[in-house]
Amino acid sequence: MKQHGARRIALRLATAAIVLLVGSTSVASAQTPEANERPATAGTARPVPEPVSLGNEPVGKPEAQPLAAPDGAKCSEPNASGASTCIEVKPGTPVPASALNRGPTALSAITPPQWCDKAKNRVYGTRTQACIWTTVTYTTQRIVNGQRTTTGQANLIVMQYNYTSTGLGRYAHQIETSMYSGWGDAPKAAIDGQATLTGSCSRESATFPRKKLSPANSWQQGESFWDTTATASGAIGKCRTTWYLTFTNAPYSAAVTSVSMNEVRCDNATAGRPGAGCVVPWYASELVYLRANTPALAAHVTKAQASGLPGATFANPLTRTENATIIASNRTKACGRAPSIPGKSCDEYPIATSHQGLNVGGTRRTQTGCGFTGVPTGTGPSGVSVCMIAVADNNSQGGTNTQFFRRERVLENDPFRVAVR
């Protein structure tokens, strides 16, 4: 227990010090899932990953569309007293700006970062964090003399937040709810949550104690912690974790909705970094070359990107290859016919450890002052740029690349960006 507590504290402190569908939000029928679908909460123990890469701004998930509007409210059958409830996810619902203000009433062990406010119906993230929120409407109804009458309605924000660590095989799935408007019987309801999973993880703990929706703009919070089971050497695994939210409000029947995320991938397959760690794999971290340390390399990368080659932006990143045959092919095709210049060696961009090298086709181009004759300059998104740069810069680049891939757990086909500072 002491070890678990230390890991939780380490994860929370790291996150707080730096302040991490297809996550999806879905509606379940207004019936309580079977017990085996809703494991009992695991007490109040709170584990902790240790997240967040410095200097990486959050971004929306590539190719992810905002949540589609559901087919309508999911309603329970009236009980013996004629009371029933409905739950509806409403992606397009406008909310007042003040509704997202968690302020001093927030209960979360980790307050979600401010950029979570952007994540309406769409996942935003960094390499070690992910966030999405949407709106949910809870409605109470009664049947009197054969007529169904709405007796109340509560409009809620439901915010989900994943955070994790590249150096720990654990991640958190935190959830926060807040009623921002309501009337009648609906705001009298209480809400609680239970957590479950599918995939390569096991639940360390989960807690979401029951709490009243009222007053408006008060926050209810649940947090769960998950340990990867991808711990064997070379193992890689993802996990979808789901919160079931239950609304109770006598004499109305219980209403249940579910929200889930699968943004985190954990592995023990990162070269040179034994042990498990976790990341948000779709986030393209930034590989940085410093002009002060490697001026010739920095100059070449700057010119190569300016000529139209990919890698500078989230929208057009490079993707990692760990395939030794592809890497060797990229290098040979780019630099196999390089000139011999004392004190210099051939540099290629995009880098050989990406899938954007000449192994996939294209032609060589060069830049002014790069020492290549018979190789044209050019523009466009395909091919590679080659340049003779200082041997010391080229050697330094290899170490920088290796450290970056190791630190950010960039595996096969993961996106990454290249920047010059």
Side-chain angles (χ1 to χ4, degrees):
M1 198 60 190
K2 289 182 180 178
Q3 182 182 16
H4 282 178
R7 294 173 74 195
R8 295 167 192 154
I9 292 168
L11 178 59
R12 289 209 187 101
L13 288 179
T15 307
I18 301 175
V19 158
L20 161 217
L21 113 179
V22 184
S24 66
T25 304
S26 60
V27 177
S29 61
Q31 301 173 10
T32 302
E34 296 300 322
N36 64 346
E37 294 178 307
R38 301 182 63 203
T41 55
T44 57
R46 294 176 169 182
V48 191
E50 144 256 334
V52 198
S53 305
L54 291 171
N56 279 340
E57 66 272 28
V59 68
K61 187 174 185 178
E63 301 177 4
Q65 298 299 317
L67 293 180
D71 295 333
K74 307 296 184 182
C75 299
S76 65
E77 292 296 324
N79 60 22
S81 65
S84 65
T85 55
C86 299
I87 294 282
E88 185 176 6
V89 176
K90 292 187 170 182
T93 303
V95 300
S98 59
L100 285 167
N101 181 16
R102 292 176 292 278
T105 64
L107 299 178
S108 53
I110 295 295
T111 300
Q114 194 64 44
W115 52 259
C116 280
D117 292 359
K118 300 179 183 179
K120 183 178 182 181
N121 307 315
R122 181 178 177 183
V123 178
Y124 267 66
T126 70
R127 193 65 177 173
T128 48
Q129 303 170 89
C131 194
I132 183 172
W133 65 272
T134 191
T135 51
V136 172
T137 296
Y138 165 72
T139 304
T140 54
Q141 299 176 334
R142 278 184 179 272
I143 295 179
V144 179
N145 297 325
Q147 296 295 316
R148 187 184 296 268
T149 301
T150 298
T151 58
Q153 195 168 80
N155 299 302
L156 293 89
I157 286 172
V158 177
M159 179 176 285
Q160 300 180 77
Y161 176 50
N162 277 168
Y163 63 92
T164 189
S165 167
T166 63
L168 187 65
R170 174 170 291 175
Y171 74 94
H173 183 180
Q174 183 170 291
I175 188 168
E176 296 191 34
T177 66
S178 175
M179 181 184 71
Y180 61 90
S181 66
W183 61 273
D185 286 348
K188 299 174 185 177
I191 188 171
D192 67 273
Q194 292 184 320
T196 188
L197 64 93
T198 56
S200 302
C201 65
S202 61
R203 188 180 59 180
E204 198 280 344
S205 67
T207 180
F208 190 147
R210 183 171 296 178
K211 187 180 177 184
K212 291 285 189 180
L213 297 183
S214 296
N217 299 314
S218 60
W219 289 83
Q220 303 80 32
Q221 183 265 336
E223 67 180 349
S224 58
F225 292 89
W226 310 87
D227 287 327
T228 182
T229 55
T231 55
S233 179
I236 303 171
K238 288 198 76 174
C239 181
R240 177 183 291 273
T241 51
T242 299
W243 277 103
Y244 287 98
L245 303 178
T246 301
F247 295 77
T248 52
N249 189 4
Y252 298 92
S253 53
V256 180
T257 188
S258 66
V259 293
S260 61
M261 296 187 81
N262 67 341
E263 305 309 313
V264 176
R265 180 197 70 205
C266 303
D267 78 89
N268 189 9
T270 300
R273 193 169 186 181
C278 305
V279 296
V280 175
W282 53 261
Y283 180 87
S285 293
E286 193 172 65
L287 167 59
V288 178
Y289 300 134
L290 298 175
R291 289 188 179 90
N293 296 347
T294 52
L297 170 64
H300 178 220
V301 171
T302 299
K303 292 176 182 178
Q305 290 181 338
S307 75
L309 292 171
T313 66
F314 285 110
N316 195 18
L318 302 182
T319 53
R320 172 86 191 276
T321 179
E322 299 181 275
N323 186 304
T325 300
I326 293 175
I327 294 169
S329 175
N330 284 339
R331 285 179 174 148
T332 298
K333 290 178 178 180
C335 291
R337 292 162 289 160
S340 178
I341 301 176
K344 293 188 176 183
S345 61
C346 177
D347 177 56
E348 74 281 351
Y349 183 88
I351 62 177
T353 47
S354 75
H355 281 289
Q356 286 68 38
L358 287 182
N359 186 72
V360 296
T363 59
R364 296 195 302 171
R365 73 183 67 160
T366 192
Q367 313 296 328
T368 303
C370 278
F372 275 81
T373 59
V375 177
T377 58
T379 59
S382 64
V384 302
S385 177
V386 291
C387 189
M388 299 301 292
I389 67 172
V391 170
D393 283 23
N394 233 345
N395 291 342
S396 176
Q397 179 191 27
T400 298
N401 293 356
T402 297
Q403 291 172 19
F404 166 76
F405 292 140
R406 183 179 300 161
R407 182 182 68 249
E408 300 294 292
R409 291 189 175 271
V410 181
L411 302 181
E412 182 72 25
N413 292 319
D414 278 3
F416 65 96
R417 295 168 291 140
V418 179
V420 174
R421 296 276 191 270

